[in-house]
Structures are given as structure tokens and as C-alpha cells.
Amino acid sequence: MDTATAQARTDTAAKPARLPYIDNIKILLTILVVMHHAGQPYGPTGGRWPLTHAEHERMLGPFFHVNASFFMALFFLISAYFLPRAYERKGAGKFLKDRFLRFGVPILFFGLIVFPVLFYLFDPKAASLPAFWFQSVIVEHKFEFAHLWFLSHLLAYAIIYVILGRLGWLGERGVTPRRFPSNLAIGAYAAGLAMVSMVVRHWFPIDRWVFIGVPTELAHLPHYLSFFVIGILAYRFGWLQDIPRRTGQLWLAIGVTTVVFRFTYSAARWRFLRGPETTLDFIWNLWEALLCVGMCLGLVYLFRARCNWQGGFQRFLAANAYGVYLFHLPMLVAIQFALEQTAYGPVTLTVISGIATLAACYLLTAMLRWIPGVKRVL
């Protein structure tokens, strides 16, 4: 690589404030999050949800499984990618102030106001809202994070990053382009991720949450934490701008193949995977790790190659995606309860409630962002 090429890549990677393909990926992930939650009352899920529909659709199970295998990991990678430059540009004080404003304010607003009101509406024994709020929040110290667990992790990781920076452990600032990891190295990471996940899930299965400073589903923490670190490295080494074509195509194919396998396995009711429990656990964790790595790497490559542009509509969707993530849960629950007396099936209810929630939340967010000062949070 000559000096001019290296400098061009450094300049490109050092200015990631607006990357159309990254914005487009965030739009896709936001839609997947909403549709994932839209199916919660209507499919086989182990998570909690205020509404339980009488009829369940079995094929929503692999939809949940596939989504959970990669979409939040990719969110962590993208969030981490923009973190080093923001820290270097703003300095520790302003960086943390902005992070508390963008993440801490929504957590407090939803935890102290929105969620207590939501729980009050679903509690037939509650006498009055003020009494219910005082009892649950002040007396019992109940603080619900719900889907904002993601923001609490990003805030915690930002604080840790600042501490490491203060200690001088982050190394040189800026971007130092390095060769993209080989397929062998990526495969080794996937295998290691499968092994670590298998060990963790032996003690903490999926959907078991613990509070370790922030609410955490330990079963998926190896994915989330490692992809957050990868996101920082991707910025430091200019990787997102330099994914080799063959590498991107290979891992996209692996990701799509693992997705197709999961849906086919459930649709055909295959039961050919038999053997010792430990072996089966590793196979399923390896499948999930390959899907996660394949979809995350493959989608970044695909969107950079094919979707690295934005018109006015895409810019609108990208600008309001964060607000949709924040507001979608209470809006979705309200819409699902409104649809409960209809005769639609589980899949139709999932699609209708999800699309209606997306439309309502995009409209709400766009309106709120006109209020002075709100745009700093949303």
C-alpha cells in the first residue's frame, strides 16, 4: 500500500460521522427490533411480555432465534465504531456529558415515568397512580430498564472507555490502517465465541437476566461485548472501509446459509442432530456464532457495496431511528391490546402491529424533534 492510499484510507476512516451504509444498516436493525418485539405475544418466546395471545405460531420461534443471534451484536459493533472519534474530538468531559444526555436521560424518563405508568395500567389491584408509583419506585426500588438495557450497556462502556483513556491504556489516537483479518482468524474467533458462549450458558441460559451494575443477559454477553471491542478495533484499523470482496461475500454466504438452515430445520421438523448433550450444545452455539459473524460482517460488506447512498426518505428514517427504538415498546403494547379482539392470526397480528408501531413511532419522533433541545437527546 503506497503512502497516498494509506492516507486516503486514514482520512476516510477518521471521518465516520455520516456513513450512508451504516445509517441504512441501523434502519434495518431498528425495523428488526420492532418486528421482533411485535411477535412476542404471538410466538414461542421465553421472554416476558404484558400480553399473551391465545394462539401461537411455531414458525415465529426461528425468527426470534435468528434475530437474537446477530442484530444486537451488530448494534454494539456500530455503536462502538463511532465511540473513539467522539471521545477524541470532544474530550472526556463533553463526551461523557453527551453520553449521559443521550442515554441517561431516556433511561431515567422511561424508568421513572413511562414504565411505572405502563405497569399501573396492567395492575388491577392498584388504587391510584401516585400511590402505585410511590410504592414501586420509592419503597420497593423497582426500576425497569426493559429494552433500554442496551442504552445502559452503552453508557457503562463509555464510562469504562473514558477511564481506560485517563489511565493511558488506549494507545495512540486516530486511525492506523491494518490488514483485514484473514478468514482463518475470523473462523477461529467464531469457534472461540461458540466455546465461551457454551460455557456461560451452562450456568446462565438464554433469557436469564442478572444485574451487574446494568441489567445483563449473560448468555449473549460474549457476543455483545466482543462485538463492541471489534467495533472499536474496526475504527482504529480502518476495517469497515476495507473489507475484501471475497471475504465479505464468503461470510455473507455463511450467514445466509445458517439463517436458511434454522428456518428449514424448524419447518421440516428435522431431528437429525443427536448425540451427547455437550456436543449438541457446541453445535448450536457454533451455528449461532457463525450466523452472528456471517450476518454482521456480510451485511456491513453488502450495504457498503450496494446500499451506500441515501435519498430524502432514507435520511428521514435514519434521523428518527433512535427515537423509534426508544418509544416502540409502549406504543407496540398499546397497539397489540387494541388488536386483541380481532380475528387475525398470529403472523398477521405480528405484521400489522409491527408496521403500525413503526409508522406511529416515526411520526412521534419526527414531531418531538421539532421541540427545541429535544434533538440533542433524540
Side-chain angles (χ1 to χ4, degrees), residues 271-339:
R271 293 294 181 268
F272 59 82
L273 292 179
R274 289 182 169 83
E277 183 177 349
T278 302
T279 302
L280 294 179
D281 282 348
F282 179 73
I283 290 174
W284 278 113
N285 280 283
L286 181 60
W287 163 83
E288 186 174 311
L290 289 173
L291 188 153
C292 182
V293 175
M295 292 301 291
C296 290
L297 176 53
L299 284 176
V300 171
Y301 167 78
L302 178 66
F303 273 64
R304 194 200 68 191
R306 302 295 183 185
C307 303
N308 195 17
W309 59 273
Q310 281 187 336
F313 183 60
Q314 289 96 327
R315 285 193 291 271
F316 169 82
L317 294 179
N320 294 284
Y322 181 58
V324 172
Y325 183 88
L326 292 179
F327 291 109
H328 83 273
L329 193 147
M331 185 73 74
L332 179 58
V333 171
I335 291 173
Q336 287 173 337
F337 270 96
L339 293 171

Side-chain angles (χ1 to χ4, degrees), residues 34-45 47-57 60 64 332-333 335-337 340 346-347 349-350 353:
V34 174
M35 297 308 298
H36 183 94
H37 288 151
Q40 293 292 104
Y42 314 118
T45 175
R48 298 180 301 160
W49 200 255
L51 173 67
T52 301
H53 192 65
E55 183 184 357
H56 281 185
E57 171 53 53
L60 285 174
F64 296 146
L332 179 58
V333 171
I335 291 173
Q336 287 173 337
F337 270 96
E340 187 60 13
V347 175
L349 287 169
T350 298
S353 63

Side-chain angles (χ1 to χ4, degrees), residues 106-107 109-122 132-133 143-148 326 329-330:
I107 290 172
F109 173 72
F110 278 82
L112 295 177
I113 299 175
V114 176
F115 293 140
V117 172
L118 198 61
F119 292 147
Y120 169 78
L121 296 175
F122 296 130
F132 178 85
W133 185 91
F143 190 94
E144 179 63 54
F145 286 86
H147 63 302
L148 302 189
L326 292 179
L329 193 147

Side-chain angles (χ1 to χ4, degrees), residues 348-368:
T348 303
L349 287 169
T350 298
V351 174
I352 292 176
S353 63
I355 293 176
T357 298
L358 284 166
C361 288
Y362 266 111
L363 178 60
L364 174 63
T365 302
M367 293 172 60
L368 290 174

Side-chain angles (χ1 to χ4, degrees), residues 203-217:
W203 302 102
F204 299 94
I206 292 175
D207 284 325
R208 179 181 295 178
W209 290 76
V210 298
F211 192 86
I212 48 175
V214 291
T216 304
E217 186 193 20

